[in-house]
Amino acid sequence: MQKLIAPSLLSANFKNLSDDIEIINNSEADWFHIDVMDGVFVPNISFGFPVIKHIKEIARKPLDVHLMITEPDRYIEEFKKIGADILTVHYEACIHLHRSIQSIKHNNMKAGVVLNPHTSVNLLEDIISEVDLVCLMSVNPGFGGQKFIENTYIKISKLKDMIISKNSKSLIEVDGGVDLNNVEKLSKCGTDIFVAGNTVFGSKNPAATIAELKRLSN
Ligand code: DX5
Ligand code: ZN
Protein backbone atom coordinates (compact mmCIF):
# COMPACT_ATOMS: atom_id res chain seq x y z
CA MET A 1 0.00 0.00 0.00
CA GLN A 2 1.12 3.56 -0.74
CA LYS A 3 2.08 5.43 2.41
CA LEU A 4 -0.10 8.45 3.14
CA ILE A 5 0.82 12.01 4.13
CA ALA A 6 -1.63 13.98 6.28
CA PRO A 7 -0.52 17.60 6.84
CA SER A 8 -1.86 19.04 10.09
CA LEU A 9 -3.63 22.35 9.65
CA LEU A 10 -2.75 23.25 13.23
CA SER A 11 0.49 24.72 11.86
CA ALA A 12 -1.18 26.47 8.92
CA ASN A 13 -1.49 30.24 8.63
CA PHE A 14 -4.92 31.04 10.11
CA LYS A 15 -4.84 34.55 8.68
CA ASN A 16 -4.93 32.96 5.26
CA LEU A 17 -6.20 29.45 5.85
CA SER A 18 -7.77 29.06 2.42
CA ASP A 19 -4.40 29.61 0.73
CA ASP A 20 -2.81 26.85 2.78
CA ILE A 21 -5.75 24.52 2.08
CA GLU A 22 -5.28 25.17 -1.63
CA ILE A 23 -1.59 24.27 -1.32
CA ILE A 24 -2.57 20.92 0.20
CA ASN A 25 -5.26 20.40 -2.45
CA ASN A 26 -2.64 20.81 -5.17
CA SER A 27 0.05 18.74 -3.44
CA GLU A 28 0.78 15.02 -3.14
CA ALA A 29 -0.81 15.00 0.34
CA ASP A 30 -3.51 12.41 0.90
CA TRP A 31 -5.55 13.71 3.83
CA PHE A 32 -6.08 16.89 5.83
CA HIS A 33 -5.30 16.27 9.51
CA ILE A 34 -7.59 18.37 11.70
CA ASP A 35 -6.71 18.73 15.41
CA VAL A 36 -9.65 19.47 17.70
CA MET A 37 -8.67 20.45 21.28
CA ASP A 38 -10.99 21.33 24.14
CA GLY A 39 -8.65 22.83 26.73
CA VAL A 40 -9.56 20.03 29.16
CA PHE A 41 -8.20 16.82 27.69
CA VAL A 42 -5.17 18.80 26.49
CA PRO A 43 -3.81 22.14 27.72
CA ASN A 44 -4.74 23.99 24.54
CA ILE A 45 -7.85 25.01 22.57
CA SER A 46 -7.76 24.86 18.78
CA PHE A 47 -10.91 25.22 16.66
CA GLY A 48 -14.35 23.66 16.34
CA PHE A 49 -17.35 23.13 14.09
CA PRO A 50 -17.66 26.51 12.28
CA VAL A 51 -14.02 26.45 11.19
CA ILE A 52 -14.09 22.80 10.12
CA LYS A 53 -17.27 23.43 8.13
CA HIS A 54 -15.44 26.06 6.10
CA ILE A 55 -12.39 23.82 5.68
CA LYS A 56 -14.68 21.11 4.29
CA GLU A 57 -16.14 23.48 1.72
CA ILE A 58 -12.79 24.00 0.03
CA ALA A 59 -10.82 20.86 0.91
CA ARG A 60 -10.66 18.31 -1.90
CA LYS A 61 -9.15 15.49 0.16
CA PRO A 62 -10.54 13.48 3.10
CA LEU A 63 -10.65 15.12 6.54
CA ASP A 64 -8.87 13.09 9.21
CA VAL A 65 -10.26 14.58 12.42
CA HIS A 66 -8.25 13.96 15.60
CA LEU A 67 -10.38 14.60 18.69
CA MET A 68 -8.38 15.68 21.73
CA ILE A 69 -11.50 16.17 23.81
CA THR A 70 -13.21 14.52 26.76
CA GLU A 71 -16.50 12.68 26.14
CA PRO A 72 -16.07 12.54 22.35
CA ASP A 73 -19.23 10.39 22.01
CA ARG A 74 -21.33 13.52 22.46
CA TYR A 75 -20.11 14.96 19.16
CA ILE A 76 -19.69 11.99 16.79
CA GLU A 77 -22.87 12.72 14.80
CA GLU A 78 -22.03 16.39 14.50
CA PHE A 79 -18.56 15.64 13.13
CA LYS A 80 -20.14 13.44 10.46
CA LYS A 81 -22.55 16.24 9.58
CA ILE A 82 -19.78 18.78 9.05
CA GLY A 83 -17.81 16.42 6.85
CA ALA A 84 -15.30 14.33 8.82
CA ASP A 85 -14.23 11.26 6.84
CA ILE A 86 -11.98 9.68 9.45
CA LEU A 87 -12.65 10.28 13.14
CA THR A 88 -10.12 9.34 15.80
CA VAL A 89 -10.74 9.35 19.55
CA HIS A 90 -8.27 8.99 22.38
CA TYR A 91 -8.07 5.71 24.31
CA GLU A 92 -7.55 7.84 27.42
CA ALA A 93 -10.78 9.80 26.82
CA CYS A 94 -13.12 6.87 26.19
CA ILE A 95 -14.59 4.86 29.05
CA HIS A 96 -16.49 2.70 26.56
CA LEU A 97 -14.08 2.69 23.64
CA HIS A 98 -15.81 -0.22 21.88
CA ARG A 99 -19.07 1.71 21.87
CA SER A 100 -17.36 4.88 20.60
CA ILE A 101 -15.76 2.96 17.71
CA GLN A 102 -19.10 1.34 16.81
CA SER A 103 -20.79 4.70 16.88
CA ILE A 104 -18.20 6.27 14.53
CA LYS A 105 -18.65 3.37 12.09
CA HIS A 106 -22.41 3.56 12.40
CA ASN A 107 -22.10 7.18 11.27
CA ASN A 108 -20.22 6.01 8.17
CA MET A 109 -16.80 7.33 9.04
CA LYS A 110 -13.52 5.46 9.34
CA ALA A 111 -12.88 4.85 13.03
CA GLY A 112 -9.55 5.31 14.74
CA VAL A 113 -8.14 5.18 18.24
CA VAL A 114 -5.25 7.38 19.40
CA LEU A 115 -2.74 6.47 22.11
CA ASN A 116 -0.81 8.97 24.17
CA PRO A 117 2.95 8.35 24.43
CA HIS A 118 2.61 6.61 27.83
CA THR A 119 -0.24 4.29 26.82
CA SER A 120 0.77 0.74 25.93
CA VAL A 121 -0.26 -0.69 22.57
CA ASN A 122 -1.01 -3.97 24.41
CA LEU A 123 -4.24 -2.37 25.64
CA LEU A 124 -5.59 -2.56 22.09
CA GLU A 125 -5.53 -6.34 21.86
CA ASP A 126 -9.29 -6.69 22.20
CA ILE A 127 -10.27 -3.81 19.91
CA ILE A 128 -7.65 -4.01 17.16
CA SER A 129 -9.84 -6.02 14.78
CA GLU A 130 -12.59 -3.38 15.04
CA VAL A 131 -10.62 -0.25 14.19
CA ASP A 132 -9.64 1.20 10.81
CA LEU A 133 -6.59 2.90 12.19
CA VAL A 134 -4.48 3.37 15.29
CA CYS A 135 -2.76 6.70 15.73
CA LEU A 136 0.33 6.68 17.94
CA MET A 137 1.12 10.05 19.47
CA SER A 138 4.85 10.63 19.16
CA VAL A 139 4.61 13.83 21.25
CA ASN A 140 2.33 14.72 24.13
CA PRO A 141 -0.82 16.02 22.43
CA GLY A 142 -1.71 19.69 22.53
CA PHE A 143 0.83 21.56 20.46
CA GLY A 144 2.58 21.44 17.11
CA GLY A 145 6.32 21.68 16.67
CA GLN A 146 7.39 19.42 19.56
CA LYS A 147 10.28 16.97 19.66
CA PHE A 148 9.65 13.41 18.49
CA ILE A 149 9.64 10.78 21.27
CA GLU A 150 12.02 7.96 20.30
CA ASN A 151 10.10 5.22 22.15
CA THR A 152 7.52 5.46 19.36
CA TYR A 153 9.55 3.16 17.09
CA ILE A 154 9.18 0.20 19.42
CA LYS A 155 5.47 0.90 19.81
CA ILE A 156 5.00 0.85 16.04
CA SER A 157 6.75 -2.51 15.74
CA LYS A 158 4.72 -4.03 18.60
CA LEU A 159 1.50 -2.70 17.10
CA LYS A 160 2.40 -4.01 13.65
CA ASP A 161 2.96 -7.50 15.13
CA MET A 162 -0.39 -7.34 16.89
CA ILE A 163 -2.19 -6.24 13.72
CA ILE A 164 -0.70 -9.15 11.79
CA SER A 165 -1.33 -11.73 14.50
CA LYS A 166 -4.95 -10.62 14.95
CA ASN A 167 -5.56 -10.45 11.21
CA SER A 168 -6.61 -6.83 11.56
CA LYS A 169 -6.76 -4.41 8.63
CA SER A 170 -5.92 -1.44 10.84
CA LEU A 171 -3.52 1.16 9.50
CA ILE A 172 -0.85 2.77 11.69
CA GLU A 173 -0.67 6.57 11.87
CA VAL A 174 2.09 8.51 13.64
CA ASP A 175 1.40 12.03 14.89
CA GLY A 176 3.94 14.49 16.27
CA GLY A 177 7.48 15.50 15.40
CA VAL A 178 7.49 13.72 12.05
CA ASP A 179 10.19 15.21 9.82
CA LEU A 180 12.41 14.52 6.83
CA ASN A 181 14.97 12.77 9.08
CA ASN A 182 12.71 10.22 10.77
CA VAL A 183 10.04 9.51 8.16
CA GLU A 184 12.01 6.75 6.45
CA LYS A 185 12.70 4.85 9.67
CA LEU A 186 9.09 5.30 10.77
CA SER A 187 7.96 3.87 7.46
CA LYS A 188 10.26 0.85 7.76
CA CYS A 189 8.87 0.08 11.24
CA GLY A 190 5.37 -0.12 9.77
CA THR A 191 3.82 3.36 9.74
CA ASP A 192 1.19 3.83 7.01
CA ILE A 193 0.10 7.44 7.61
CA PHE A 194 2.35 10.36 8.53
CA VAL A 195 0.90 13.45 10.17
CA ALA A 196 3.14 16.48 9.73
CA GLY A 197 2.41 20.02 10.86
CA ASN A 198 5.50 22.08 11.48
CA THR A 199 7.62 20.15 8.97
CA VAL A 200 5.17 21.03 6.19
CA PHE A 201 3.96 24.52 7.08
CA GLY A 202 7.23 25.66 8.64
CA SER A 203 9.04 24.98 5.39
CA LYS A 204 9.56 27.44 2.54
CA ASN A 205 7.80 25.24 0.04
CA PRO A 206 5.12 23.06 1.71
CA ALA A 207 4.20 21.22 -1.50
CA ALA A 208 7.83 20.27 -2.12
CA THR A 209 8.18 19.13 1.51
CA ILE A 210 5.09 16.94 1.16
CA ALA A 211 6.54 15.44 -2.03
CA GLU A 212 9.79 14.74 -0.17
CA LEU A 213 7.97 13.11 2.78
CA LYS A 214 6.06 10.98 0.27
CA ARG A 215 9.22 9.95 -1.55
CA LEU A 216 11.12 9.09 1.64
CA SER A 217 8.25 7.08 3.09
CA ASN A 218 7.57 4.99 0.01
C1 DX5 B 1 -0.51 17.56 18.46
C2 DX5 B 1 -1.33 17.30 17.24
C3 DX5 B 1 -0.55 17.12 16.00
C4 DX5 B 1 0.31 18.29 15.63
C5 DX5 B 1 1.50 17.77 14.95
O1 DX5 B 1 -1.29 17.52 19.54
O2 DX5 B 1 -2.12 16.13 17.39
O3 DX5 B 1 -1.36 16.71 14.91
O4 DX5 B 1 -0.34 19.22 14.80
O5 DX5 B 1 2.36 18.81 14.74
P1 DX5 B 1 3.91 18.59 14.42
O6 DX5 B 1 3.96 17.77 13.15
O7 DX5 B 1 4.39 19.98 14.24
O8 DX5 B 1 4.52 17.88 15.57
ZN1 ZN C 1 -3.15 15.32 15.54
Side-chain angles (χ1 to χ4, degrees), residues 8 10 33-37 64 66 68 88 135 137 173 175-176 195:
S8 165
L10 192 65
H33 186 81
I34 310 282
D35 290 300
V36 178
M37 305 176 183
D64 167 31
H66 173 193
M68 283 161 274
T88 62
C135 176
M137 287 310 302
E173 182 177 51
D175 185 3
V195 176

Short mmCIF file of all heavy atoms in Angstrom, two decimals, residues 8 10 33-37 64 66 68 88 135 137 173 175-176 195, ligand 2:
data_model
loop_
_atom_site.label_atom_id
_atom_site.label_comp_id
_atom_site.label_asym_id
_atom_site.label_seq_id
_atom_site.Cartn_x
_atom_site.Cartn_y
_atom_site.Cartn_z
N SER A 8 -0.99 18.54 9.02
CA SER A 8 -1.86 19.04 10.09
C SER A 8 -2.06 20.54 9.93
O SER A 8 -1.09 21.31 9.96
CB SER A 8 -1.23 18.74 11.45
OG SER A 8 -1.88 19.52 12.43
N LEU A 10 -3.05 22.52 12.01
CA LEU A 10 -2.75 23.25 13.23
C LEU A 10 -1.59 24.23 13.02
O LEU A 10 -1.53 25.28 13.65
CB LEU A 10 -2.41 22.26 14.34
CG LEU A 10 -2.34 22.78 15.77
CD1 LEU A 10 -3.70 23.27 16.23
CD2 LEU A 10 -1.84 21.69 16.73
N HIS A 33 -5.22 16.65 8.10
CA HIS A 33 -5.30 16.27 9.51
C HIS A 33 -5.80 17.48 10.29
O HIS A 33 -5.21 18.57 10.23
CB HIS A 33 -3.93 15.82 10.01
CG HIS A 33 -3.94 15.28 11.41
ND1 HIS A 33 -4.32 13.99 11.72
CD2 HIS A 33 -3.62 15.87 12.59
CE1 HIS A 33 -4.23 13.81 13.04
NE2 HIS A 33 -3.81 14.94 13.59
N ILE A 34 -6.90 17.27 11.02
CA ILE A 34 -7.59 18.37 11.70
C ILE A 34 -7.57 18.10 13.21
O ILE A 34 -8.18 17.13 13.67
CB ILE A 34 -9.08 18.43 11.24
CG1 ILE A 34 -9.20 18.39 9.70
CG2 ILE A 34 -9.81 19.61 11.86
CD1 ILE A 34 -8.91 19.68 9.01
N ASP A 35 -6.88 18.95 13.97
CA ASP A 35 -6.71 18.73 15.41
C ASP A 35 -7.72 19.53 16.22
O ASP A 35 -7.67 20.75 16.24
CB ASP A 35 -5.30 19.15 15.82
CG ASP A 35 -4.25 18.18 15.28
OD1 ASP A 35 -4.33 16.99 15.63
OD2 ASP A 35 -3.38 18.62 14.51
N VAL A 36 -8.61 18.81 16.89
CA VAL A 36 -9.65 19.47 17.70
C VAL A 36 -9.28 19.33 19.19
O VAL A 36 -9.17 18.20 19.70
CB VAL A 36 -11.03 18.86 17.43
CG1 VAL A 36 -12.09 19.52 18.31
CG2 VAL A 36 -11.40 19.01 15.94
N MET A 37 -9.10 20.46 19.87
CA MET A 37 -8.67 20.45 21.28
C MET A 37 -9.65 21.23 22.12
O MET A 37 -10.10 22.31 21.70
CB MET A 37 -7.30 21.11 21.41
CG MET A 37 -6.25 20.49 20.52
SD MET A 37 -4.71 21.41 20.66
CE MET A 37 -3.71 20.56 19.47
N ASP A 64 -9.26 14.02 8.15
CA ASP A 64 -8.87 13.09 9.21
C ASP A 64 -8.94 13.90 10.52
O ASP A 64 -8.04 14.68 10.80
CB ASP A 64 -7.44 12.61 8.90
CG ASP A 64 -6.77 11.89 10.04
OD1 ASP A 64 -7.47 11.24 10.84
OD2 ASP A 64 -5.51 11.96 10.13
N HIS A 66 -8.87 14.50 14.38
CA HIS A 66 -8.25 13.96 15.60
C HIS A 66 -8.86 14.69 16.80
O HIS A 66 -8.59 15.87 17.01
CB HIS A 66 -6.74 14.18 15.49
CG HIS A 66 -5.95 13.85 16.72
ND1 HIS A 66 -4.64 14.23 16.87
CD2 HIS A 66 -6.27 13.17 17.85
CE1 HIS A 66 -4.18 13.81 18.04
NE2 HIS A 66 -5.16 13.17 18.67
N MET A 68 -9.06 15.63 20.43
CA MET A 68 -8.38 15.68 21.73
C MET A 68 -9.34 16.33 22.70
O MET A 68 -9.13 17.48 23.14
CB MET A 68 -7.07 16.47 21.59
CG MET A 68 -5.96 15.67 20.94
SD MET A 68 -4.65 16.71 20.27
CE MET A 68 -5.31 17.08 18.67
N THR A 88 -10.91 10.09 14.82
CA THR A 88 -10.12 9.34 15.80
C THR A 88 -10.35 9.90 17.21
O THR A 88 -10.41 11.11 17.41
CB THR A 88 -8.60 9.36 15.46
OG1 THR A 88 -8.12 10.70 15.48
CG2 THR A 88 -8.32 8.75 14.11
N CYS A 135 -3.70 5.58 15.81
CA CYS A 135 -2.76 6.70 15.73
C CYS A 135 -1.90 6.69 16.99
O CYS A 135 -2.41 6.72 18.11
CB CYS A 135 -3.54 8.02 15.62
SG CYS A 135 -2.47 9.46 15.64
N MET A 137 0.59 8.71 19.23
CA MET A 137 1.12 10.05 19.47
C MET A 137 2.62 9.92 19.73
O MET A 137 3.03 9.19 20.63
CB MET A 137 0.45 10.71 20.68
CG MET A 137 -0.98 11.17 20.49
SD MET A 137 -1.29 12.18 19.02
CE MET A 137 -0.17 13.55 19.27
N GLU A 173 -0.96 5.15 12.12
CA GLU A 173 -0.67 6.57 11.87
C GLU A 173 0.26 7.06 12.98
O GLU A 173 0.12 6.66 14.12
CB GLU A 173 -1.99 7.35 11.90
CG GLU A 173 -1.90 8.84 11.63
CD GLU A 173 -3.29 9.52 11.61
OE1 GLU A 173 -4.07 9.33 12.57
OE2 GLU A 173 -3.58 10.23 10.63
N ASP A 175 1.75 10.62 14.78
CA ASP A 175 1.40 12.03 14.89
C ASP A 175 2.30 12.74 15.90
O ASP A 175 2.25 12.45 17.09
CB ASP A 175 -0.07 12.15 15.32
CG ASP A 175 -0.58 13.58 15.34
OD1 ASP A 175 0.17 14.50 14.96
OD2 ASP A 175 -1.75 13.78 15.73
N GLY A 176 3.11 13.66 15.39
CA GLY A 176 3.94 14.49 16.27
C GLY A 176 5.43 14.37 15.97
O GLY A 176 5.98 13.28 16.04
N VAL A 195 1.43 12.11 9.91
CA VAL A 195 0.90 13.45 10.17
C VAL A 195 2.12 14.37 10.26
O VAL A 195 3.11 14.03 10.90
CB VAL A 195 0.11 13.49 11.49
CG1 VAL A 195 -0.34 14.91 11.80
CG2 VAL A 195 -1.08 12.54 11.42
ZN ZN B 2 -3.15 15.32 15.54
#
